[in-house]
Amino acid sequence: MARAERSRTSAPDPPRNPLLRWLPRPFRPPWRPGRDRPRGVSPPPGAVRRPSRLCRTEPAVGPLDPPRPLARSLGLIAVAALGSWLGLILIGTVHAPVGPMDTSMALRPSLTGGTRIDVAPLGDLELSSHYAPLRLDVDVDRLDPVRSQALVSHPERFAGLQDEVAHDVTRGALGLAVHSCLAVAAGATALGLVVYRRPRRALAAGGLALALLGASAGTAYATWNPDSVLEPKFSGLLSSAPSVVGNARNIVSEFDVYQKELARLVTNVTKLYDATSTLPAYQPDPSTLRVLHVSDIHLNPASWQIIASLVKQYRINVIVDTGDTMDHGSAAENHFLDAASTLGAPYVWVRGNHDSRTTQSYLSGRRHVTVLDNGRVVRVAGVRIAGTGDPQFTPDRSVVAAGDGAERAAGRRLADVLRTERLAGTPVDLALAHNPAAAAETDGLVPLALAGHIHHRENTTLPGGTRLMVEGSTGGGGLRAVQNRKPAPVQASVLYLDRRTKRLQAWDEITLGGLGLSRAEVSRHLPRENQPGATPAPTRSAHPSGPHAGPSAGRSPGPFSRPTRTPSDGSG
């Protein structure tokens, strides 16, 4: 009993460390009753302990005490930064389509910033696009086969590919920004819960992570350098890309020069032809009607330059296009047709098998353009012209092509219109169709019929006396020009018509070398009945699709077919 009494009345608890008693009081850490008592000593009664807690005063902070608020702030920043990095690594990647490619975009911590584009397995390129603690990583995962095939099948989409890519990149960047905010907030909050085990501190870490991300984004925006794309740094197999890119840039930048030089070549050849013309052949007078026959442009932009040059040099009265101006007849190709209104002469057009109803509708609304279909008859530059569009649209693979039977049926409907016009005393001077099989049905009802479609010239006098002139491709076959070893030539013809009778007096055939070539040839031809001292020749029975029909059929022989060529460098 006495031992128990002595234990209750024992001396107060000594300090935790007896050595600390030698420190001055301002630097001595406080003694916390109950926590720093020695073993075996029971705590004082509650009545005694409570007043000591209320009356205890914190000692002044000495120079040896660590600054606790600063340490806590630095710790919170470290947790927020580390959590943000983990969030970006684990869930910060966004998968976005860019044109025909599937890409992965992500933000990664970096000391220098910039943009890295990885094209596996070729290598990567780096751009000094910005200076910030974040780097933009773009990985080209694969080339999507469906979108790539659609681009190959519809090459007109290349014209809008730049806008499409810009739209995809903008949409991907916005999605990456939202996804990155969620990633850094989630990562910092999760790490805060692990470290502090208090929801309030964890939410504070998440908010600080968002603030850090916003500050980094502001720094990147302030230091953004759009010219960095002109000075990329290549690595891997792409280290040889600068020379390739340079060649590609030259091709793109000089293609317009190529168009203009080709047009200038036509101008020079025409002047040379007029200056050196000494043969006693046909010389058109100022009153002669000049018709420029073009066909099968197939989306070749260089054709517009050539046509405009021919219109100016030959003082063309009317341009006749016998179709296949487009390649797939899609609405995306329509802007290509805008140049038809600016060529300096009325433009008369019939639909080809590569031109859709959408194409026809768009051209019908253009200035200085006349669209003919279903035997419509118009008077342009004093010439009465009738024409019909091709009844088939072959790019539509869901419809089986009807073949020449449908073409001949369309030609017969055109012939019925011509017959009606002749009985009414208003005969037609010129009949237009895209397919020669349709144009041949107008034999005997019109003096001259024009067609295209077969991508080479044929000139035939039909049994009924109608001359059928089939033009080659004024677009050099379009994209088909690069499919063969030798590019397809660019062809057009100038027809000279008597202003009073509207009969063909002569024609010039203009032939240019295909893509990348600068050869040019201009040759003038006369119908047999217009040759000096000639007698009317018997009519031919050859059909333009027959085995003996060819470019020489129905042409004038000997000295009246006079070609003029320029040197291969095109400097003439």
Side-chain angles (χ1 to χ4, degrees):
M1 192 68 178
R3 187 178 303 170
E5 289 289 335
R6 281 197 301 270
S7 64
R8 286 197 203 92
T9 59
S10 58
D13 294 338
R16 288 178 299 171
N17 192 344
L19 297 177
L20 295 179
R21 70 179 61 183
W22 299 100
L23 293 174
R25 186 172 295 276
F27 302 100
R28 189 180 303 169
W31 173 62
R32 295 172 292 182
R35 295 186 182 181
D36 298 327
R37 73 177 172 273
R39 293 183 179 179
V41 179
S42 59
V48 178
R49 189 169 62 248
R50 189 174 297 110
S52 64
R53 186 185 302 128
L54 294 175
C55 299
R56 187 181 64 196
T57 58
E58 294 288 342
V61 178
L64 297 182
D65 288 338
R68 292 185 178 180
L70 180 59
R72 291 176 181 177
S73 299
L74 293 178
L76 185 64
I77 293 175
V79 170
L82 182 59
S84 300
W85 178 74
L86 291 175
L88 290 176
I89 292 294
L90 296 177
I91 59 173
T93 302
V94 172
H95 300 280
V98 177
M101 300 175 295
D102 289 335
T103 65
S104 299
M105 300 182 182
L107 295 177
R108 294 290 182 261
S110 173
L111 297 178
T112 58
T115 300
R116 184 186 64 83
I117 302 175
D118 182 25
V119 186
L122 301 179
D124 55 34
L125 58 92
E126 296 181 3
L127 308 175
S128 299
S129 57
H130 62 278
Y131 296 95
L134 287 177
R135 183 187 70 214
L136 174 62
D137 285 359
V138 179
D139 296 338
V140 179
D141 299 329
R142 68 176 187 131
L143 200 63
D144 184 81
V146 177
R147 297 198 301 272
S148 301
Q149 183 62 37
L151 194 62
V152 173
S153 302
H154 302 277
E156 70 279 359
R157 297 183 181 178
F158 279 103
L161 186 59
Q162 181 177 357
D163 295 336
E164 179 184 351
V165 169
H167 174 73
D168 291 343
V169 169
T170 301
R171 183 175 58 183
L174 293 176
L176 178 61
V178 174
H179 203 80
S180 298
C181 290
L182 297 176
V184 298
T189 302
L191 186 61
L193 284 174
V194 173
V195 174
Y196 297 111
R197 298 183 181 180
R198 297 179 183 177
R200 183 177 300 178
R201 300 283 287 177
L203 292 177
L208 182 58
L210 289 176
L212 293 175
L213 180 62
S216 300
T219 304
Y221 179 78
T223 59
W224 179 254
N225 179 24
D227 295 333
S228 61
V229 296
L230 301 178
E231 299 178 355
K233 180 181 178 181
F234 298 91
S235 63
L237 294 178
L238 289 179
S239 58
S240 61
S243 60
V244 178
V245 173
N247 293 337
R249 288 177 179 173
N250 292 338
I251 291 174
V252 174
S253 61
E254 293 178 3
F255 184 72
D256 183 61
V257 177
Y258 165 74
Q259 296 183 53
K260 294 179 180 179
E261 287 300 310
L262 199 56
R264 184 182 65 84
L265 178 64
V266 176
T267 301
N268 292 341
V269 169
T270 303
K271 291 181 179 178
L272 179 65
Y273 181 83
D274 291 339
T276 59
S277 177
T278 57
L279 295 177
Y282 170 78
Q283 293 294 332
D285 59 70
S287 65
T288 303
L289 294 175
R290 294 166 171 84
V291 178
L292 176 62
H293 182 198
V294 300
S295 187
D296 297 87
I297 292 176
H298 284 291
L299 286 178
N300 188 346
S303 301
W304 299 125
Q305 297 275 357
I306 297 171
I307 294 173
S309 177
L310 291 173
V311 168
K312 181 178 180 181
Q313 293 302 315
Y314 282 88
R315 300 186 296 276
I316 296 298
N317 299 106
V318 58
I319 305 168
V320 171
D321 187 345
T322 48
D324 272 7
T325 312
M326 311 299 259
D327 231 354
H328 296 85
S330 64
E333 297 173 311
N334 285 343
H335 69 91
F336 175 77
L337 302 169
D338 295 343
S341 303
T342 63
L343 299 175
Y347 195 87
V348 181
W349 180 87
V350 293
R351 185 180 67 253
N353 62 297
H354 283 265
D355 304 315
S356 65
R357 299 283 179 173
T358 302
T359 304
Q360 179 168 311
S361 177
Y362 184 83
L363 261 180
S364 299
R366 307 301 301 173
R367 295 179 56 192
H368 310 302
V369 176
T370 301
V371 175
L372 301 183
D373 195 11
N374 299 319
R376 181 189 175 193
V377 182
V378 296
R379 186 181 184 91
V380 181
V383 183
R384 288 180 56 80
I385 308 174
T388 185
D390 197 297
Q392 304 181 87
F393 180 55
T394 54
D396 185 2
R397 303 301 183 185
S398 63
V399 178
V400 179
D404 284 350
E407 302 292 344
R408 286 190 289 269
R412 286 192 291 269
R413 290 191 293 270
L414 175 60
D416 292 340
V417 174
L418 298 178
R419 191 175 294 107
T420 302
E421 291 291 325
R422 188 172 65 174
L423 293 175
T426 55
V428 173
D429 306 313
L430 200 59
L432 309 181
H434 176 67
N435 196 304
E441 296 297 325
T442 64
D443 184 24
L445 299 173
V446 67
L448 185 60
L450 305 182
H453 182 61
I454 58 178
H455 289 202
H456 65 269
R457 291 192 181 104
E458 289 189 358
N459 195 320
T460 307
T461 300
L462 300 177
T466 295
R467 179 181 292 274
L468 175 60
M469 302 184 73
V470 181
E471 189 55 75
S473 174
T474 309
L479 293 177
R480 299 164 181 79
V482 298
Q483 292 180 351
N484 303 321
R485 289 185 177 180
K486 185 177 181 181
V490 175
Q491 298 178 328
S493 298
V494 177
L495 315 180
Y496 299 95
L497 304 183
D498 183 270
R499 182 171 292 273
R500 185 179 62 84
T501 63
K502 310 302 186 296
R503 295 285 175 162
L504 180 67
Q505 296 179 327
W507 70 92
D508 289 344
E509 294 180 349
I510 297 101
T511 303
L512 305 176
L515 184 64
L517 303 179
S518 56
R519 179 183 60 84
E521 176 181 336
V522 178
S523 58
R524 178 162 292 174
H525 305 271
L526 300 180
R528 291 184 181 275
E529 60 271 18
N530 282 7
Q531 297 176 15
T535 57
T539 58
R540 294 179 178 268
S541 59
H543 190 276
S545 60
H548 302 291
S552 62
R555 291 183 183 175
S556 55
F560 298 103
S561 178
R562 45 175 204 175
T564 301
R565 293 180 174 86
T566 62
S568 59
D569 60 357
S571 59

